[in-house]
Amino acid sequence: MVVYLLCFILFLVGLYGVVTRRNLVKIVISLSIMEFSVFLFLALIGYVHDGVVPIVDPANPDARYVDPLPQAMVLTAIVIGLATTAMLMSVIIRIYRKYKTLDIREIKNLRG
Amino acid sequence: MELALSVILVLMILGALFAIHAKDLLSAVISCSIVGYGLVICFLLLRAPDLAIVQIVVETITLVIMVAVVLDSTRQEPFTKPDPHDYVAIATALLLIVSVFFLLKAATGSLDPFGEGSMRMAKHYIEGAADKTGSANLVTGVIFDFRGYDTLGEATVLVTAVLGALTILRIRGKK
């Protein structure tokens, strides 16, 4: 249970960063921290005590495997996380070229 | 096992806090990758070598992209005078964090205890999976065989994100 709680705390640190920071790069960093904590949470759910790596070994047919399903889900999610981070970074670099700042409060034309 | 994971998680939380509060953006980016590489060790401890391999590659690429962006723009965090908006944002954040923390803590009650997950779905994936899918690695079997359409959908998302990034980098801004 301690592990789950620490994982949530990592998520909440990322949430704090997203809400309070003014710098666009730091907001992206906080988002990726939240992302990492969710990946870790899913991998934690699939863990089984004394489980072995989910690779079939003919020499040991009665092995107790770790749950392969969350691992398969996280595997694709990690790659998509990379793509979205790259996209956010390209947005940031366009914004910097146009406004010469990364401070969200100085980018007045983006205000809703 | 749980102890080792907790120690690494505490280190990751410290790295995340430093990344959020650092004055220099380059050190913020690099301490963000403390979290990423700590995650690799956690995956190895959790018996997920596929995830560890993918995560170490992805984290390195992310670090390169972020360092490139920071070096191309500005390293300085804009000087933040304590203005009233900051206090409002921090108060909102703390309120949000406390409420979400209690919700998550309530949600943990309905989870299986750590390490005793009952594999409802995966039982069928594991039984005779090597014969059904022809792959000794069960994770590969789930991704490319049992849930092949999911993977196709996620590949679509990936292509869309890459196309978006390319489009954004290519357009010429209006003057």
Side-chain angles (χ1 to χ4, degrees):
Chain A
M1 280 301 135
V2 181
V3 197
Y4 287 138
L5 282 184
L6 285 172
C7 193
F8 290 152
I9 290 172
L10 189 62
F11 182 85
L12 294 175
V13 168
L15 190 66
Y16 172 81
V18 170
V19 177
T20 59
R21 293 297 104 179
R22 296 166 60 168
N23 193 311
L24 282 171
V25 175
K26 286 206 173 169
I27 292 175
V28 174
I29 287 174
S30 317
L31 276 175
S32 58
I33 288 170
M34 286 165 81
E35 209 177 84
F36 290 153
S37 75
V38 172
F39 297 156
L40 182 60
F41 178 64
L42 288 176
L44 283 175
I45 285 180
Y47 182 71
V48 178
H49 281 310
D50 304 323
V52 298
V53 171
I55 293 174
V56 175
D57 182 6
N60 184 12
D62 296 327
R64 198 165 173 229
Y65 298 115
V66 167
D67 194 344
L69 184 56
Q71 294 190 13
M73 302 285 100
V74 172
L75 196 64
T76 39
I78 289 175
V79 181
I80 288 176
L82 169 69
T84 47
T85 309
M87 190 171 158
L88 283 172
M89 279 309 189
S90 55
V91 171
I92 285 176
I93 210 153
R94 295 304 299 192
I95 288 177
Y96 185 78
R97 296 251 171 88
K98 192 163 165 80
Y99 294 93
K100 301 292 172 214
T101 177
L102 290 176
D103 190 341
I104 46 171
R105 291 189 191 153
E106 286 175 22
I107 306 169
K108 294 212 173 63
N109 289 359
L110 285 182
R111 262 192 197 157
Chain B
M1 176 66 207
E2 233 182 313
L3 186 70
L5 271 179
S6 311
V7 171
I8 294 169
L9 261 167
V10 169
L11 282 179
M12 284 163 73
I13 291 170
L14 290 179
L17 281 174
F18 183 75
I20 287 174
H21 290 286
K23 285 267 185 288
D24 185 1
L25 278 186
L26 196 60
S27 51
V29 164
I30 289 171
S31 45
C32 172
S33 59
I34 293 176
V35 186
Y37 289 120
L39 192 61
V40 175
I41 303 173
C42 289
F43 283 152
L44 282 178
L45 287 175
L46 290 169
R47 311 277 191 280
D50 311 86
L51 294 185
I53 293 167
V54 171
Q55 173 67 26
I56 206 164
V57 172
V58 160
E59 183 55 37
T60 309
I61 297 174
T62 314
L63 186 64
V64 170
I65 293 174
M66 282 187 169
V67 168
V69 168
V70 167
L71 290 184
D72 199 41
S73 53
T74 173
R75 271 176 74 169
Q76 257 75 49
E77 164 86 300
F79 179 65
T80 46
K81 281 173 285 184
D83 71 81
H85 288 289
D86 274 350
Y87 296 124
V88 173
I90 289 173
T92 319
L94 289 180
L95 206 66
L96 202 64
I97 282 170
V98 170
S99 48
V100 171
F101 182 77
F102 277 105
L103 286 177
L104 293 176
K105 205 163 176 296
T108 20
S110 61
L111 280 176
D112 295 325
F114 176 67
E116 293 163 29
S118 59
M119 302 204 249
R120 298 176 197 87
M121 270 311 270
K123 219 184 303 168
H124 304 287
Y125 289 150
I126 289 174
E127 278 168 11
D131 302 328
K132 278 186 234 163
T133 63
S135 153
N137 189 334
L138 296 177
V139 177
T140 316
V142 171
I143 288 183
F144 290 113
D145 201 299
F146 294 115
R147 289 180 175 253
Y149 285 117
D150 270 2
T151 310
L152 193 64
E154 302 204 23
T156 318
V157 176
L158 190 67
V159 169
T160 317
V162 171
L163 281 181
L166 285 179
T167 317
I168 291 164
L169 284 176
R170 280 188 59 182
I171 34 172
R172 307 220 167 272
K174 279 184 202 157
K175 289 290 168 195

